[in-house]
Amino acid sequence: MPPSTSDAPLAGRRILVVEDVYFVADDIAAALRGAGAIVVGPAPNGPAALSLMASERLDAAVLDINLHDEAVYPVAEALRARGTPFVFATGYDRCSIPASYRGVPLWEKPFDSAALIRSLPALIDAVGGRRDRPTA
Protein backbone atom coordinates (compact mmCIF):
# COMPACT_ATOMS: atom_id res chain seq x y z
CA MET A 1 0.00 0.00 0.00
CA PRO A 2 1.48 3.43 -0.94
CA PRO A 3 2.19 5.82 1.94
CA SER A 4 -0.44 8.42 2.70
CA THR A 5 0.38 12.09 2.24
CA SER A 6 0.46 12.45 6.02
CA ASP A 7 3.14 9.72 6.13
CA ALA A 8 4.95 11.11 3.08
CA PRO A 9 4.20 14.83 2.79
CA LEU A 10 6.80 15.22 0.03
CA ALA A 11 5.82 12.12 -1.95
CA GLY A 12 7.29 12.31 -5.43
CA ARG A 13 8.64 15.84 -4.97
CA ARG A 14 12.13 16.36 -6.36
CA ILE A 15 14.25 18.28 -3.85
CA LEU A 16 17.77 19.52 -4.59
CA VAL A 17 20.11 19.43 -1.60
CA VAL A 18 23.17 21.68 -1.73
CA GLU A 19 25.40 21.09 1.30
CA ASP A 20 29.18 20.73 1.55
CA VAL A 21 29.36 18.78 4.82
CA TYR A 22 28.79 15.13 3.95
CA PHE A 23 27.13 14.08 7.21
CA VAL A 24 24.78 17.07 7.22
CA ALA A 25 23.89 16.46 3.56
CA ASP A 26 23.28 12.80 4.32
CA ASP A 27 21.02 13.66 7.28
CA ILE A 28 18.98 16.14 5.21
CA ALA A 29 18.70 13.65 2.33
CA ALA A 30 17.60 10.85 4.67
CA ALA A 31 14.94 13.07 6.24
CA LEU A 32 13.66 14.11 2.82
CA ARG A 33 13.57 10.51 1.58
CA GLY A 34 11.73 9.52 4.75
CA ALA A 35 9.06 12.06 3.81
CA GLY A 36 8.75 10.54 0.33
CA ALA A 37 10.91 13.03 -1.57
CA ILE A 38 13.21 12.19 -4.43
CA VAL A 39 16.54 13.74 -3.47
CA VAL A 40 18.53 15.39 -6.24
CA GLY A 41 22.16 15.46 -5.21
CA PRO A 42 23.36 16.24 -2.66
CA ALA A 43 25.63 18.70 -4.42
CA PRO A 44 28.70 19.79 -2.42
CA ASN A 45 29.27 23.07 -4.30
CA GLY A 46 27.73 25.59 -6.65
CA PRO A 47 29.03 24.18 -9.94
CA ALA A 48 27.75 20.69 -9.07
CA ALA A 49 24.36 22.15 -8.10
CA LEU A 50 24.11 24.16 -11.32
CA SER A 51 25.02 21.06 -13.32
CA LEU A 52 22.23 19.07 -11.64
CA MET A 53 19.81 21.93 -12.27
CA ALA A 54 20.61 21.81 -15.99
CA SER A 55 19.41 18.22 -16.24
CA GLU A 56 16.87 17.74 -13.47
CA ARG A 57 13.29 18.80 -12.82
CA LEU A 58 13.01 20.27 -9.34
CA ASP A 59 10.16 21.11 -6.99
CA ALA A 60 12.28 22.82 -4.31
CA ALA A 61 15.80 23.08 -2.92
CA VAL A 62 17.54 23.14 0.44
CA LEU A 63 20.69 25.29 0.31
CA ASP A 64 23.57 25.77 2.69
CA ILE A 65 24.88 29.31 2.22
CA ASN A 66 28.61 28.69 2.72
CA LEU A 67 30.02 25.91 0.55
CA HIS A 68 33.74 25.59 1.31
CA ASP A 69 34.07 29.39 1.50
CA GLU A 70 31.98 29.84 -1.67
CA ALA A 71 28.56 31.49 -1.40
CA VAL A 72 25.55 29.60 -2.75
CA TYR A 73 23.92 32.77 -4.10
CA PRO A 74 24.53 31.97 -7.82
CA VAL A 75 22.55 28.76 -7.27
CA ALA A 76 19.84 30.72 -5.45
CA GLU A 77 19.63 33.16 -8.38
CA ALA A 78 19.33 30.30 -10.87
CA LEU A 79 16.55 28.76 -8.76
CA ARG A 80 14.74 32.10 -8.63
CA ALA A 81 15.02 32.42 -12.41
CA ARG A 82 13.39 28.99 -12.76
CA GLY A 83 10.67 29.81 -10.24
CA THR A 84 11.83 27.02 -7.93
CA PRO A 85 11.28 27.65 -4.22
CA PHE A 86 14.18 27.15 -1.84
CA VAL A 87 15.16 27.44 1.79
CA PHE A 88 18.48 28.20 3.39
CA ALA A 89 19.70 25.61 5.92
CA THR A 90 22.73 27.31 7.37
CA GLY A 91 24.72 28.32 10.39
CA TYR A 92 24.31 31.97 9.38
CA ASP A 93 21.75 34.16 11.09
CA ARG A 94 19.26 36.26 9.14
CA CYS A 95 21.15 39.56 9.57
CA SER A 96 24.17 38.17 7.69
CA ILE A 97 22.11 37.33 4.59
CA PRO A 98 21.94 39.93 1.79
CA ALA A 99 18.73 41.96 1.77
CA SER A 100 17.60 40.42 -1.52
CA TYR A 101 17.32 37.04 0.24
CA ARG A 102 15.77 38.13 3.53
CA GLY A 103 12.38 36.77 2.48
CA VAL A 104 13.76 33.27 1.90
CA PRO A 105 12.88 30.83 4.70
CA LEU A 106 15.90 30.30 6.94
CA TRP A 107 16.62 27.17 8.97
CA GLU A 108 19.53 27.88 11.29
CA LYS A 109 21.77 24.90 12.04
CA PRO A 110 21.33 22.81 13.97
CA PHE A 111 17.70 22.65 12.84
CA ASP A 112 14.81 20.30 13.33
CA SER A 113 14.64 18.30 10.11
CA ALA A 114 11.04 17.26 10.90
CA ALA A 115 10.02 20.93 11.00
CA LEU A 116 11.82 21.52 7.70
CA ILE A 117 9.94 18.59 6.15
CA ARG A 118 6.63 19.96 7.42
CA SER A 119 7.34 23.40 5.91
CA LEU A 120 8.44 22.35 2.41
CA PRO A 121 5.02 21.27 1.05
CA ALA A 122 3.55 24.70 1.87
CA LEU A 123 6.54 26.42 0.26
CA ILE A 124 6.10 24.36 -2.89
CA ASP A 125 2.34 24.97 -2.91
CA ALA A 126 2.91 28.72 -2.44
CA VAL A 127 4.31 28.84 -5.97
CA GLY A 128 1.34 26.90 -7.28
CA GLY A 129 2.92 23.48 -7.02
CA ARG A 130 4.81 24.40 -10.18
CA ARG A 131 7.29 21.76 -11.21
CA ASP A 132 10.04 23.33 -13.24
CA ARG A 133 11.74 21.90 -16.29
CA PRO A 134 15.45 21.87 -17.04
CA THR A 135 16.66 24.60 -19.31
CA ALA A 136 17.98 23.15 -22.55
Side-chain angles (χ1 to χ4, degrees):
M1 174 163 54
S4 71
T5 55
S6 62
D7 294 337
L10 294 171
R13 300 297 189 145
R14 300 179 62 81
I15 312 295
L16 173 66
V17 175
V18 183
E19 169 62 61
D20 61 338
V21 177
Y22 173 80
F23 294 108
V24 175
D26 192 51
D27 287 347
I28 293 169
L32 291 168
R33 284 187 195 102
I38 298 163
V39 175
V40 178
N45 56 47
L50 292 169
S51 177
L52 285 169
M53 288 175 61
S55 63
E56 297 283 343
R57 179 182 53 78
L58 301 173
D59 293 300
V62 178
L63 310 177
D64 184 13
I65 291 176
N66 184 8
L67 306 168
H68 297 295
D69 297 322
E70 166 193 322
V72 77
Y73 300 125
V75 175
E77 281 305 309
L79 289 164
R80 274 188 173 166
R82 288 172 63 145
T84 304
F86 59 93
V87 299
F88 290 128
T90 185
Y92 288 13
D93 61 18
R94 186 155 305 279
C95 68
S96 64
I97 296 172
S100 62
Y101 294 105
R102 297 253 167 91
V104 173
L106 175 68
W107 292 86
E108 290 184 48
K109 293 177 185 173
F111 59 88
D112 177 359
S113 59
L116 174 66
I117 298 304
R118 286 190 304 271
S119 74
L120 282 175
L123 181 66
I124 293 167
D125 291 342
V127 294
R130 182 182 176 281
R131 294 176 184 236
D132 70 358
R133 303 283 176 226
T135 53

